[in-house]
Amino acid sequence: MTAVAYAIPYADTVALAVHGARAPLPAVLPVLVILITLGYRTAPRGVADAESDWIIAALAGIGALAGIELLSHRTPTLAGLWHLKDFGAPVWFACVVTVLFGVRHVVRMWPMWLFALCCVSPLPLTLATAALGGSDTAAALLTAFAGAVAVLLAGRMTPQAHRAVAALSCFAVSALTVVGIGGQLSLLVITVLVAAVFPTLATAALLTTRPARESLAEHAWAEPHQHTVRALAALAVTAVALALLNPPVARSTALPLVPADWTDKTTLDDPVAFDFVTRYAGPEATFVRYRTPARPGLPALAVDVLTAPDRATLTDTADIIWYPSTRPVDYRAVTDPDLPAGSRIAFSNADAATDGAHSDWFLITWEWQAGNMFQRVNVVASQSLTGDRLPPEPQPVRVLDVSLRPALWVARQQPNDAGDVDDLVVARAAALAGALAGTAGESADGTAADA
């Protein structure tokens, strides 16, 4: 039932992992969830009540799925960063298990639900990897740890000593594999090994031991589960309805091609590199700020260019807001023919500023392919009309800024008003964006020009 309802979002997750996503753990999460559920094959205590199970599943499921949908519309960029709609899969899975096996069975499986919620989004793994330096080895070791935790949870029917030995052995083998041959394999292949193959072998060895078989025989379900055709049909229809509500993610097939040295054809100068980006986008990524000539009495501008060897990196970081803001900021697509194709805008709310300590900003961003590399170009303008403030520099992603602070902002029922940006700021940023696109396009045609 879960596979039917969320096959399309899961296929998109697998596609991103195949194309080089930095946190491919969600692609193998179903394997780990299945392993953990193998530890819950014994009957729960208490008397089952099918009618109550339906009521609880309906109320909890509708409330949770509706909340996910509302939050996705309230803060779409933050929801995209968290892959919030993917959280619907464990919610729906819990509802189905409640109907088929009872609410008591679902409640005692709380470690599995907590594990699934922690791993269904790639953001926690990305932030944890960044905290450890951002290397592929760090990402793989964290994934191996998740696999070992799954083995520990899957051995619920065995003695704690057996569970600990199996989990530690799994992690040791995974860590040796990562350190030994991780550099010769892609991150996805390593993930499959340490978060699917090795945990499966460890769980199989653990659950075939005598204590596990004896526990299963001793606490087996007294009678098989029987469900009416009407109940199963209702679940099937709901699964199909959820599948229709989760359409494929629209992604452009190709990016505009520009010369690799397009910055040399412009007046951009004084490049400054921000090394922290390698912790989020991989060791081969770069994030460089270029200055533009200052003009007295006009908003100051800067151009930030994120460069990566594959497009998956741009997709992974597409919803990250690199600039400070006191409220959740959302990207908005624009269709101005004078701007590069696929441009989006975002800006901080200067109307809500309470002091002059922070520099408010306006952003136009787009993607293109520069030679063999893929780039996201950010034209950042200060909202100060006098030109006395420079646009803020990019900052690393902070956990509080993508979790607790937005949650508190939503909980306070703040008005969803992004504020206004002066037309002069918008015009100046749009002029530079159009000039850069024109310069790069003319350079691609063999004609040099200055922005």
Side-chain angles (χ1 to χ4, degrees):
M1 296 296 180
T2 306
V4 170
Y6 287 89
I8 294 177
Y10 179 68
D12 184 64
T13 298
V14 173
L16 291 177
V18 170
H19 288 89
R22 293 282 302 157
L25 177 59
V28 298
L29 180 59
V31 176
L32 298 180
V33 169
I34 291 173
L35 294 180
I36 296 174
T37 57
L38 293 177
Y40 293 89
R41 289 179 292 163
T42 57
R45 298 178 180 179
V47 179
D49 185 347
E51 185 175 350
S52 297
D53 295 337
W54 271 100
I55 294 174
I56 293 173
L59 292 177
I62 292 174
L65 294 175
I68 290 173
E69 190 66 25
L70 291 175
L71 284 175
S72 297
H73 289 283
R74 175 71 165 170
T75 57
T77 298
L78 188 64
L81 182 61
W82 275 97
H83 291 235
L84 189 60
K85 291 193 174 182
D86 290 347
F87 284 81
V91 170
W92 169 240
F93 185 36
C95 293
V96 175
V97 175
T98 299
V99 171
L100 296 181
F101 300 99
V103 67
R104 295 178 183 274
H105 187 58
V106 171
V107 170
R108 69 171 181 162
M109 294 173 66
W110 68 265
M112 192 272 283
W113 305 121
L114 181 60
F115 178 87
L117 292 176
C118 289
C119 298
V120 71
S121 169
L123 184 59
L125 180 61
T126 300
L127 296 179
T129 302
L132 295 178
S135 66
D136 289 351
T137 299
L141 288 176
L142 288 171
T143 304
F145 178 76
V149 171
V151 173
L152 186 68
L153 297 178
R156 179 175 172 271
M157 295 183 297
T158 62
Q160 292 186 357
H162 293 189
R163 297 167 59 185
V165 170
L168 290 175
S169 299
C170 179
F171 182 74
V173 172
S174 298
L176 290 175
T177 301
V178 170
V179 175
I181 62 174
Q184 287 74 43
L185 302 175
S186 68
L187 186 56
L188 176 60
V189 173
I190 287 293
T191 298
V192 171
L193 287 176
V194 303
V197 177
F198 296 159
T200 299
L201 296 176
T203 302
L206 184 61
L207 297 184
T208 53
T209 60
R210 177 180 295 180
R213 288 186 279 108
E214 291 177 350
S215 177
L216 181 60
E218 181 180 354
H219 302 92
W221 295 82
E223 57 185 18
H225 301 281
Q226 296 181 357
H227 303 283
T228 64
V229 175
R230 181 181 300 178
L232 296 178
L235 290 176
V237 170
T238 307
V240 173
L242 289 174
L244 296 177
L245 294 175
N246 291 287
V249 178
R251 302 188 188 278
S252 58
T253 56
L255 293 176
L257 183 63
V258 300
D261 61 346
W262 64 270
T263 55
D264 296 337
K265 310 298 190 299
T266 69
T267 55
L268 301 178
D269 54 14
D270 194 20
V272 177
F274 298 97
D275 296 335
F276 70 81
V277 76
T278 59
R279 307 205 308 262
Y280 304 91
E284 298 182 17
T286 61
F287 202 7
V288 179
R289 162 159 290 191
Y290 297 91
R291 304 292 183 185
T292 61
R295 296 188 179 181
L298 292 176
L301 298 173
V303 178
D304 298 333
V305 182
L306 172 61
T307 304
D310 53 70
R311 191 176 178 183
T313 300
L314 299 186
T315 303
D316 287 344
T317 59
D319 293 308
I320 293 180
I321 301 291
W322 298 105
Y323 310 97
S325 176
T326 57
R327 62 178 298 277
V329 175
D330 294 316
Y331 286 110
R332 304 177 185 179
V334 291
T335 56
D336 190 336
D338 295 329
L339 295 178
S343 291
R344 299 183 298 167
I345 65 171
F347 50 89
S348 61
N349 189 352
D351 296 338
T354 58
D355 55 55
H358 302 285
S359 177
D360 287 288
W361 48 271
F362 174 81
L363 168 71
I364 301 177
T365 181
W366 67 92
E367 298 174 0
W368 58 27
Q369 183 176 349
N372 295 325
M373 305 296 283
F374 296 84
Q375 293 182 334
R376 177 178 293 110
V377 183
N378 296 342
V379 172
V380 192
S382 170
Q383 293 194 38
S384 173
L385 301 181
T386 59
D388 58 338
R389 285 182 178 271
L390 295 176
E393 294 183 347
Q395 297 181 358
V397 181
R398 293 180 293 187
V399 177
L400 290 179
D401 290 337
V402 296
S403 57
L404 184 59
R405 288 195 178 100
L408 293 176
W409 182 84
V410 172
R412 290 196 300 267
Q413 299 182 357
Q414 299 291 328
N416 196 17
D417 182 13
D420 296 321
V421 180
D422 193 278
D423 292 340
L424 178 61
V425 176
V426 177
R428 183 151 164 75
L432 178 57
L436 294 177
T439 298
E442 293 177 358
S443 298
D445 295 333
T447 303
D450 288 334

